[in-house]
């Protein structure tokens, strides 16, 4: 049946499954999940008509850093109360804007300049990104998204995560921030983009301040955070989830999208790292090793955990992690926004759609082919 433009997303108790879409952080590598999302939305449109959008099918969409921005794009309402962006718009958005978000210095002394910047301040000032996000998202607040969203950040002053969740905003009005502020905050990767400060005011007039950096330092793969937010709602007795058990993973249908990694060939090695001091850990080999390691480790630990859980419960078909672990050279960077690199990332995402569905080998950390699951996932999402 074709989905009505005004039909609200039904609670999970309406069907059998709690559907979650999760998108990792990774700077311009957001082009990789962008290709996957465009394909997924096009397949759903074949089932329910060209007006179908991803926000119509997922109970929760979660994203960190670039994934947080994509989450906001897919769930922010336009003047007709439909998603502001289609999934196929994501590619052009990144291709057109990444070179301005991450301007490249062609000067022969650029490596030395970047090293100095890494010590004295962020590599990019973020002005274009901030202006762009504010223009696109306007005055839309967290409570106005078309489906539930979960976007992690990290408060540098409190030294603890701050999770912007549609579920939490009902109980904590102080986190009902502008989506533009949330997106700027979750994208504020240390050494790359500046931390973001803003304030909110609750209905009583109480002001809350936020001093935020990228959520990737805590949850670059936000899948587990999203599932945790759902479980809290179930434990709290939400009518949307009654009578679902909070630990009943069989009710979850999860698609988790990575932004690519360089595991096979590797980007760094121990013989090099053994010689590094503070400066080299902040800037080396075209990237920031410290940030790369922290964010990749954060993302992979979530995948390892969920792979074990879903395998142990014999419900592997309910969890799909889509990730490419063969990136190398400049294409593995988060910010070298050259035309060739960006086009290669688009091709990487498109190539993933043609490969056999894979799962992480918990011994090697590499992805290995397994039985196709996309039809099962599409069927579950449609329900």
């Amino acid at each position: 049946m074709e989905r009505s433009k005004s039909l609200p997303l039904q609670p999970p108790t309406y069907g059998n499954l709690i559907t979650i879409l999760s998108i990792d952080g990774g700077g311009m590598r957001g082009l990789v999940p962008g290709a996957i999302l465009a394909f997924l939305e096009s397949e759903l449109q074949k089932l329910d008509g060209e007006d179908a959008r991803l926000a119509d099918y997922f109970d929760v969409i979660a994203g960190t850093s670039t994934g947080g921005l994509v989450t906001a794009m897919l769930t922010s309402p336009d003047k007709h109360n439909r998603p502001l962006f289609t999934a196929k718009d994501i590619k052009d958005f990144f291709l057109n804007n990444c070179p301005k978000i991450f301007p490249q210095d062609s000067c022969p002394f650029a490596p030395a300049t970047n090293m100095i910047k890494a010590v004295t301040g962020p590599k990019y000032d973020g002005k274009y990104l901030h202006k762009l996000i504010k223009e696109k998202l306007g005055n839309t607040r967290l409570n106005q998204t078309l489906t539930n969203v979960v976007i992690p950040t990290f408060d540098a002053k409190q030294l603890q995560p701050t999770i912007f969740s549609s579920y939490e905003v009902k109980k904590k009005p102080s986190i009902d921030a502008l989506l533009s502020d949330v997106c700027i905050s979750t994208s504020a990767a240390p050494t790359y983009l500046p931390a973001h400060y803003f304030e909110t005011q609750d209905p009583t007039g109480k002001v809350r301040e936020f001093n935020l950096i990228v959520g990737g330092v805590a949850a670059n793969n936000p899948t587990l955070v999203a599932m945790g937010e759902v479980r809290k709602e179930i434990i709290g007795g939400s009518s949307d989830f009654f009578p679902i058990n909070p630990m009943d993973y069989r009710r979850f249908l999860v698609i988790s999208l990575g932004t690519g990694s360089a595991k096979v060939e590797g980007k760094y090695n121990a013989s090099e790292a053994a010689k590094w001091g503070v400066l080299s850990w902040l800037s080396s080999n075209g990237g920031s090793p410290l940030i790369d390691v922290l964010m990749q480790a954060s993302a992979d630990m979530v995948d390892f955990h969920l792979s074990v859980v879903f395998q142990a419960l014999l419900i592997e078909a309910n969890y799909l992690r889509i990730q490419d672990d063969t990136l190398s050279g400049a294409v593995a960077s988060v910010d070298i926004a050259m035309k060739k690199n960006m086009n290669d990332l688009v091709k990487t995402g498109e190539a993933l759609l043609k490969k056999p569905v894979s799962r992480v080998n918990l011994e090697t950390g590499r992805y290995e082919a397994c039985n196709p699951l996309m039809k099962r996932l599409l069927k579950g999402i449609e329900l």
Side-chain angles (χ1 to χ4, degrees):
M1 181 179 70
E2 188 165 332
R3 202 169 280 262
S4 167
K5 291 184 179 182
S6 59
L7 184 65
L9 187 71
Q10 296 287 349
T13 47
Y14 179 78
N16 295 315
L17 298 166
I18 303 166
T19 51
I20 295 177
L21 172 64
S22 175
I23 311 160
D24 284 14
M28 70 172 194
R29 295 205 313 259
L31 282 161
V32 175
I36 307 295
L37 294 170
F39 169 78
L40 179 56
E41 190 168 87
S42 70
E43 290 297 298
L44 292 169
Q45 288 171 344
K46 292 176 184 177
L47 296 171
D48 283 341
E50 62 181 20
D51 290 326
R53 298 289 180 266
L54 291 174
D56 298 329
Y57 298 86
F58 288 95
D59 298 300
V60 186
I61 300 181
T64 299
S65 188
T66 191
L69 177 55
V70 171
T71 296
M73 292 168 67
L74 295 174
T75 62
S76 293
D78 63 14
K79 61 183 179 180
H80 302 295
N81 207 37
R82 295 296 291 153
L84 192 61
F85 290 83
T86 66
K88 66 182 180 181
D89 291 332
I90 294 170
K91 180 179 78 171
D92 287 341
F93 178 87
F94 277 83
L95 291 176
N96 292 334
N97 293 296
C98 278
K100 299 172 186 176
I101 296 170
F102 306 117
Q104 302 300 297
D105 189 348
S106 58
C107 170
F109 301 107
T113 303
N114 290 337
M115 182 70 78
I116 294 171
K117 284 183 178 179
V119 177
T120 61
K123 191 172 180 181
Y124 308 101
D125 61 25
K127 290 180 180 178
Y128 179 82
L129 175 64
H130 298 184
K131 180 174 180 290
L132 177 67
I133 291 176
K134 289 176 180 177
E135 285 179 353
K136 297 296 183 183
L137 300 181
N139 294 319
T140 302
R141 291 189 174 271
L142 183 62
N143 78 83
Q144 297 173 295
T145 56
L146 297 173
T147 189
N148 297 298
V149 300
V150 176
I151 302 176
T153 65
F154 191 85
D155 195 301
K157 186 174 182 179
Q158 302 295 330
L159 285 181
Q160 67 178 22
T162 296
I163 299 170
F164 290 92
S165 162
S166 298
Y167 297 118
E168 285 296 303
V169 78
K170 302 169 188 175
K171 297 169 280 189
K172 300 178 182 176
S174 63
I175 69 165
D176 191 22
L178 291 170
L179 268 183
S180 57
D181 281 324
V182 175
C183 289
I184 291 169
S185 300
T186 196
S187 302
T191 76
Y192 288 101
L193 290 162
H196 186 52
Y197 175 88
F198 66 92
E199 298 176 348
T200 61
Q201 191 174 54
D202 69 16
T204 68
K206 184 177 179 180
V207 174
R208 178 174 175 179
E209 65 173 28
F210 296 88
N211 298 268
L212 303 178
I213 58 176
V214 66
V217 298
N220 200 49
N221 175 348
T223 309
L224 206 53
V225 177
M227 294 177 71
E229 289 297 299
V230 170
R231 285 197 294 270
K232 283 195 293 182
E233 283 294 292
I234 297 172
I235 293 169
S238 169
S239 60
D240 281 353
F241 298 98
F242 181 81
I244 300 173
N245 185 303
M247 296 308 294
D248 188 0
Y249 280 76
R250 291 173 178 82
R251 298 297 293 269
F252 286 92
L253 183 70
V254 181
I255 298 179
S256 175
L257 304 182
T259 57
S261 68
K263 285 186 181 176
V264 174
E265 294 186 18
K267 191 173 181 181
Y268 311 107
N269 60 60
S271 61
E272 292 175 337
K275 304 170 188 176
W276 289 346
V278 173
L279 296 183
S280 295
W281 273 104
L282 292 175
S283 180
S284 182
N285 225 13
S288 175
L290 185 61
I291 302 302
D292 289 347
V293 169
L294 284 174
M295 293 190 177
Q296 195 60 55
S298 167
D300 285 349
M301 287 303 291
V302 171
D303 185 29
F304 289 169
H305 171 79
L306 290 176
S307 293
V308 169
V309 170
F310 280 86
Q311 286 179 35
L313 294 173
L314 304 179
I315 50 171
E316 295 174 86
N318 285 39
Y319 171 67
L320 178 62
R321 171 72 171 168
I322 302 178
Q323 174 72 310
D324 186 287
D325 61 355
T326 64
L327 301 185
S328 62
V331 78
S333 75
V334 299
D335 69 323
I336 303 180
M338 306 296 287
K339 185 175 182 179
K340 181 182 184 306
N341 286 349
M342 292 190 293
N343 287 334
D344 285 345
L345 285 169
V346 173
K347 292 175 183 177
T348 296
E350 292 172 344
L352 279 173
L353 295 168
K354 300 175 184 178
K355 293 181 180 179
V357 174
S358 302
R359 290 197 182 283
V360 66
N361 181 314
L362 299 176
E363 294 292 328
T364 66
R366 295 186 179 181
Y367 288 84
E368 298 175 354
C370 64
N371 294 328
L373 300 176
M374 185 60 78
K375 288 184 179 179
R376 164 74 175 86
L377 286 159
L378 284 171
K379 184 178 179 182
I381 293 167
E382 184 188 10
L383 293 174

